[in-house]
Amino acid sequence: MLVHVAPTGLVLAVLGDSVGVGIGDPALGGGWRGFGPLLAEALGGARLTNLAVSGSRVGGVLETQLPAALAARPDVTVIVVGMNDTMRSDFDPTRLHADLDHVVGALVAVGSTVITAKYHDHHRVFRLPGPIRRALASRIGALNGILDLIGEKHGIGVLDLGAVPGIYDTRAWAVDRLHPSELGHRLLARAIAEQLVARGRTVHKEVSLQCAGGRNPGRLARWGWLVFKGLPWLVRRGRDLVPYAISTFVRRA
C-alpha cells in the first residue's frame, strides 16, 4: 500500500553533474528521474530544487549552481560533482579544494545540512587499460582526499560510494557503466538518507530498492544510447586523460 506523506516544508537542493540530473534512471514522462525525487519523497515530500547539469565541473557548481541554491534556502543539499574534473587535462587539486570549500562553506553558513560523495573504484565496474586506470585512480584519490578534508572542516556528511552495499553489482549501473541505473540511484538515495539520519534529520520512509516508477527504455534504446552518446563522451574524455596517463607511466619508468 502506498502511503502519501504530507509535505514537510523542507527544501532539498541537488547540485552537481549528470548523476544529480538522474542520467541512467529514465522517467516515465521522459527525461530522467534519479536519486533526487526518491530522496525528496523519503524526506516526507520535500520540495526538490535540482540544479545539477550534465557535464558540470566543480567550477560550474560554484559559479552557476551555488547562487541559485542559496536563493532557494535549502534545508538539505546534496552535492555530487568532481568526476568530470578528474578526466580533464586541466585537473587542479588546489583549485578544486578552494572551490569545493567555498561551495560547502556557503551552504553550511545558511543552515543547510550538506551531504557530498566521494567516488568508488571505477575499474570495478568499467574496465580500463592499466595506464589509464592508474591515472584516473590517482586523480580520484586526490579528489576523495579533498572531500574528506572539507567534510571534516565543515562537519558535513561525506558518503563513500565505494562502501555502499550493492554498488558494485552490475545491476546498479546503466549500460555505459558510468551512470547509476534505477537500482543504483535507489542505492544512492538510501545511503544519503542514512547520512541525513546520522545528522539529526528526520527521514519519513526508507527508500525502496524495488525498481518501480521508472521507464524501461528497452535493450535497443540502451545500446543506442551507449553507441551514440556514451562512447563518444568516453572518447572525448580519453583525449584529455591519455596524455596524463602517458606522463605518469614515463615518470614511473
Side-chain angles (χ1 to χ4, degrees):
M1 180 177 65
L2 179 63
V3 177
H4 294 278
V5 181
T8 59
L10 286 178
V11 176
L12 166 65
V14 174
L15 282 65
D17 54 27
S18 55
V19 174
V21 170
I23 289 180
D25 180 19
L28 283 175
W32 308 99
R33 178 180 55 178
F35 71 82
L38 298 169
L39 183 60
E41 182 182 2
L43 289 171
R47 178 166 62 85
L48 174 62
T49 300
N50 195 332
L51 300 165
V53 177
S54 182
S56 283
R57 300 172 64 185
V58 171
V61 171
L62 171 64
E63 295 170 7
T64 305
Q65 297 179 30
L66 177 62
L70 294 175
R73 307 289 293 188
D75 300 283
V76 174
T77 305
V78 179
I79 307 169
V80 182
V81 71
M83 191 60 204
N84 289 315
D85 292 271
T86 67
M87 302 184 76
R88 300 298 287 269
S89 59
D90 60 353
F91 179 75
D92 182 353
T94 301
R95 171 56 63 184
L96 290 182
H97 193 160
D99 288 352
L100 283 167
D101 184 53
H102 187 123
V103 169
V104 171
L107 289 162
V108 169
V110 298
S112 189
T113 301
V114 179
I115 308 293
T116 188
K118 58 183 184 179
Y119 289 91
H120 58 288
D121 180 359
H122 279 67
H123 183 64
R124 291 180 62 178
V125 293
F126 192 101
R127 298 296 178 183
L128 293 167
I132 294 179
R133 173 177 60 82
R134 289 188 290 271
L136 183 59
S138 174
R139 288 184 170 186
I140 291 175
L143 173 61
N144 287 346
I146 291 168
L147 290 166
D148 279 334
L149 289 173
I150 290 173
E152 183 177 356
K153 175 181 177 180
H154 294 286
I156 67 168
V158 181
L159 173 64
D160 183 354
L161 292 179
V164 174
I167 200 67
Y168 289 115
D169 188 323
T170 56
R171 294 173 297 176
W173 296 94
V175 67
D176 64 357
R177 295 293 186 264
L178 295 170
H179 297 95
S181 62
E182 177 181 351
L183 175 60
H185 278 283
R186 287 181 175 276
L187 289 169
L188 183 54
R190 175 180 280 194
I192 294 170
E194 291 171 352
Q195 288 275 332
L196 290 172
V197 169
R199 278 152 186 78
R201 285 287 178 184
T202 299
V203 174
H204 293 263
K205 59 183 294 189
E206 186 177 64
V207 177
S208 172
L209 299 184
Q210 181 67 41
C211 292
R215 172 172 53 88
N216 187 344
R219 185 182 181 90
L220 182 61
R222 288 197 299 270
W223 281 102
W225 186 92
L226 178 63
V227 170
F228 295 107
K229 298 287 187 179
L231 290 178
W233 177 87
L234 185 61
V235 169
R236 290 195 300 271
R237 294 290 71 81
R239 284 199 294 264
D240 277 335
L241 194 59
V242 166
Y244 172 69
I246 293 172
S247 68
T248 300
F249 177 79
V250 170
R251 286 197 301 270
R252 290 184 177 183

